Amino acid sequence: MPPTVSRRVLLRSGGLVGLAGLLAACDGSEGPDSTSPTGAVEPDDPTTWPPDTTLLLSARRRVHGYLAALEVVEVPSGRASRLRDAWEAQLETVEQLVTLGGVPLPAPPTDPVVAAAPDDTARTTAPADDAASSTGARDDAHRTAGPERPPADRLGQVLRADVTEALRDASTATPTHLAMLVSVAAQHAASAQELGAAVDWPPLAGPRDAAAVPLLAALRPAVFGLEVLAARSRGEERADYESVLEEVAGLTRQLTSLAGRAAPVPPLGYDLPEPLADREDRRDLAVRLVADVAPAALTTATRVSGDVAQLTGVARVVAEAVSWDRRLGGRGSPFPGMTAP
């Protein structure tokens, strides 16, 4: 199983920065401490900020806009709750990284990235049942309900459009924050799809050559395992596995081609837990198989740093893994491919 990229490492490094600043404040000396990573930071001078700060602030701005828009568009409550939890977790982490670098947070944007329609006509709703009439609630049920809410895909379109900018930003990031920024962009791409505005990815350009090998090491077992699960299932369950299998197998063929001569010869098979006679066990294995793909993709990010086309390929793989996980009943993550602190 490929190693996951941990946010804890990122936050630990930020915590050391904050500790250094605290010790400097306690030594009684005057003026900035040249040994402190935050001692030379000037809030109004971005040239003095720690690396990647402007990238983190851009990510913060985008996520703030999505959270505001989530209150405006028409999204089923369960889906809205999942997206809100994920984006709030992203916001918390990004803001912590900025402040630990000694940079104060600017006021967040207040306008949603999707505006509500003007309230030109009153909308009414019918009573839910006869009980509404018997309790005198009929009039309340017919009162105006405010402006029509834009459909969910309006927010999805904004997310989709922002993916290009986010990945362009990530291509300039240091190794410290590169994987996290790619992970966040991939989560937003997957969210756009969930909201009805799937990202139209360009042809897969990477990772290629040796950088593709760790990803193949996760994709090939997933293909094998899903084939076995499909063969041992029936009906709707089998259709679920076959649907995901088709996409995983197609991606594996593309990555094998991109790896070229660096691609190792695949083994004849892989060990799987037995007996897999229970539907719940089979579903759990399917989720675990696709869960290995996103972290394997992120391990390649630093190897293709600076190459927007290849980083876009990495983000696409992570986003597709998020989609597979959701379709198979996984719980998802605000930072797909990374372990939570």
Side-chain angles (χ1 to χ4, degrees):
M1 181 180 298
T4 54
V5 183
S6 175
R7 285 163 53 210
R8 184 179 287 108
V9 174
L10 305 182
L11 297 180
R12 185 185 298 123
S13 63
L16 292 176
V17 170
L19 178 60
L22 178 62
L23 294 176
C26 294
D27 66 4
S29 60
E30 296 182 359
D33 181 358
S34 61
T35 65
S36 170
T38 63
V41 171
E42 295 290 341
D44 298 327
D45 185 2
T47 63
T48 68
W49 294 353
D52 301 335
T53 299
T54 56
L55 305 183
L56 295 171
L57 288 174
S58 292
R60 174 181 181 256
R61 171 183 52 78
R62 287 190 289 268
V63 176
H64 260 297
Y66 304 157
L67 283 168
L70 200 57
E71 306 303 318
V72 174
V73 299
E74 189 70 43
V75 183
S77 58
R79 182 175 302 168
S81 178
R82 290 195 306 273
L83 293 174
R84 185 179 299 107
D85 289 346
W87 294 342
E88 286 179 347
Q90 292 172 359
L91 193 62
E92 179 182 2
T93 297
V94 168
E95 290 184 341
Q96 186 175 10
L97 290 171
V98 171
T99 56
L100 287 174
V103 178
L105 293 170
T110 56
D111 295 333
V113 293
V114 176
D119 190 10
D120 293 332
T121 59
R123 292 192 298 120
T124 60
T125 56
D129 50 39
D130 292 340
S133 300
S134 62
T135 58
R138 180 185 296 272
D139 291 339
D140 289 342
H142 285 276
R143 288 177 182 169
T144 57
E148 181 115 18
R149 301 182 69 172
D153 66 349
R154 288 279 300 279
L155 176 54
Q157 291 165 13
V158 174
L159 286 157
R160 179 176 62 192
D162 283 350
V163 168
T164 300
E165 176 190 357
L167 291 173
R168 191 180 299 117
D169 282 355
S171 71
T172 67
T174 67
T176 303
H177 301 112
L178 174 60
M180 186 194 72
L181 291 171
V182 173
S183 174
V184 169
Q187 197 278 334
H188 293 167
S191 297
Q193 181 184 33
E194 190 174 3
L195 291 167
V199 174
D200 184 15
W201 297 105
L204 195 68
R208 56 177 179 258
D209 302 324
V213 173
L215 190 46
L216 285 175
L219 286 167
R220 285 171 168 173
V223 171
F224 178 83
L226 289 167
E227 287 175 339
V228 172
L229 293 171
R232 299 190 184 185
S233 308
R234 295 292 182 270
E236 183 179 341
E237 181 190 5
R238 179 171 184 167
D240 288 345
Y241 299 144
E242 289 179 336
S243 172
V244 174
L245 171 61
E246 181 180 2
E247 296 178 18
V248 177
L251 184 61
T252 303
R253 288 192 293 269
Q254 293 182 71
L255 265 297
T256 301
S257 177
L258 288 170
R261 294 182 178 180
V265 177
L268 295 177
Y270 299 87
D271 291 332
L272 296 176
E274 293 291 351
L276 295 176
D278 183 83
R279 177 169 183 160
E280 185 176 342
D281 289 342
R282 292 192 295 268
R283 185 72 65 167
D284 180 65
L285 176 59
V287 170
R288 286 188 284 125
L289 286 168
V290 300
D292 288 341
V293 175
L298 286 185
T299 62
T300 72
T302 55
R303 304 183 69 172
V304 299
S305 176
D307 189 326
V308 178
Q310 291 203 70
L311 278 177
T312 298
V314 173
R316 172 184 170 180
V317 173
V318 176
E320 291 190 6
V322 172
S323 173
W324 303 332
D325 176 81
R326 183 173 63 244
R327 285 152 56 186
L328 292 171
R331 292 182 293 179
S333 167
F335 297 89
M338 306 182 77
T339 55

